[in-house]
Structures are given as structure tokens and as C-alpha cells.
Amino acid sequence: MSTPLNIIFAGTPDFAAQHLAALINSHHNIVAVYCPPDKPAGRGKKLTACATKLLATEHNLPVEQPKNFKELSAQQTLAGYNADIMVVVAYGLLLPEVILSTPKLGCINVHGSLLPKWRGAAPIQRSLEAGDIETGVTIMQMDKGLDTGDMILKSTCNISENDTSASLYEKLAQLGPKALLETLDIMAAPSFDAIKHNTVQDNVQATYAHKLDKAEAELDWQLDAATLNRKIRAYIPWPVAQFTFTEENEKQHRIRVWSAAAEQYSGKETAGTILSADKAGILVATNNSAIRLLKLQLPGKKPLTVAELLNGRSEWFQVGNNINGLI
């Protein structure tokens, strides 16, 4: 077993909390947990703590919540913990160079991709959308760039044809904590030499995972079915792929798509045309193929199988009509 390290942990969502839980159960010492300030949530806009803070409080760990690290007082507070290393997982705040260099071993980050591919805010979603067959986590030494630091360790997992961002998130939430603990053991060894061990990222191979935008969720039936299916899986659980159905009275309904399957189709129907609609799904023509919609959600309702939906809305999805209704 390696020498215990004194660790500052910085993170926000459940993904980060799962890494914190692994550290709590390890032989390392957590000297402080950093989270963003509590945010208003719900109808009452009550200040709500993030998952990481809730876990830290449960275990009586010191919690710090600075708005940023621009103030000298915030920098001094962090330095006062005299940490060996700072572990950052989905924190959401930028760390200035003075913070990156404060802990003895610097700051390391758990990133949800195989760097240098998919640097940035949405690596899980972008890897699915692009049709990658594998992904993983990279533990890297943080520097002033965006996910550009030297790589310490990588751990890989396959992407299945049925994975959504939600399921892939869970895979990486299992993979990441193990990779983090292995990395800390490597760095805690007296023989650790970052120059010899770490791997510099090849910037030529880098791709960027742009933050998701709600506008991207609108499905374009002119795309091929495989591309549409990847988008649908990538946008679960947010923002969820959708299309706008327009009734004859011009009332519009934004319908979310929770499940679909790409199919071969060699006909010549216009993209967006409904080819069939029954309990097996709603088959829609796309560019050189077709996609079968399996689970849909009407505004304000829960997701339903197409068989359930057609019981009450079969008139919306008549064969030969456009999936978007009156345009």
C-alpha cells in the first residue's frame, strides 16, 4: 500500500461524488472538499447543495465554496490545508495557475474521455454522437489549458450499440474511481517521476466536445438513420432529442424521443414520411434509410411506448403523412 496522501477534492455532481466516496473509503486523507456555492432549485428556489457537498457533510469533512479563486483570501485558505495533491472531478470552476501549483504534487483531473480526443464540456455525449466504439477516463496533470495536461493514466471501456449518455455515464462512474485510486498510488510512490512517467498529449489528435445546446436536440429527418439514432442516444437524459408536431389547427407539440432503432430502407419516400405506425413503432423515412421510433413523450406527459401512444393519438401518425404533421 502506498503512502497516504493529504487530498483536497473539488467536484460538483453525482459523478464527482462517486469519486469522493472512493477516496473516503481509501487509506488517503481528505483535508477539504471544494464545491461551487449552493444554487436555488425547485419552485421555491431554495438554496440546494450539490451531491459532493452532501456527501462531504455526511462524513464531517471541511467544505469550502468560493465563487472563484481570484481573491487572495481564497488562495490562502486553500494553501492553508497544506495538501499533497488536489483532485478535480467535474468541478465547474476554472483554476488559476497559482492554485494549480499550490499542492505539492499539483492538481489532477478525472476526464471522461480518452484524451486528447474530446477535450471540453461534453465528452460522453460527443463520443456517442460521433459513433465511437470505445471511450474511458483519463487522469491528467492539470495545466492552464483546457484538458491539455500531461496524461498519467487511462482506463478504457467499450461503447455498446444500446448505450445512452446515461448508461455510459454510469460505466465511467464505475471506471473513474478505480483509475483515480490507481493514479494516486502511482504518484505517492517515492520513485514517481512525472517527467518520465506522464505522457504529453498530441495536440494534432485533439478534438473538442462542445457543450450541449437545446437547439441541437431538434431532429433533422434529412440525416441518415444511424446518425439520428446516435443523436437520440447521446441526448439522453438531457436535452432529449425531439421533433415538433403541428396539428391542423397549427397547435404545436414538441415530442421527445427516448428510444429508436435505425433500419434499412431502399424506397423513395421523402425524408420525414411515416412508412408504418403500429405496436412495433413508427417507421420514418430518412436520408437513404429509415428510423423506427419506439418510445415517445408528449409535453407534460410521461414517456410511452409507441403502442401506448397510438391508443390515443393514432390520427397524428397516419402512414404517408409527414412525422411533423402540418408544416
Side-chain angles (χ1 to χ4, degrees), residues 243-259:
F243 62 93
T244 302
F245 178 85
T246 305
E247 295 188 75
E248 290 184 0
N249 62 8
E250 298 188 356
K251 183 177 181 180
Q252 292 188 326
H253 307 270
R254 296 183 71 80
I255 301 177
R256 290 179 165 185
V257 181
W258 287 91
S259 180

Side-chain angles (χ1 to χ4, degrees), residues 6-10 23 29-34 77-79 81-88 102-103:
N6 291 324
I7 298 171
I8 291 174
F9 183 87
L23 292 176
N29 304 315
I30 303 168
V31 296
V33 173
Y34 275 70
T77 297
L78 188 141
Y81 284 109
N82 196 31
D84 294 310
I85 194 167
M86 183 169 178
V87 174
V88 181
T102 294

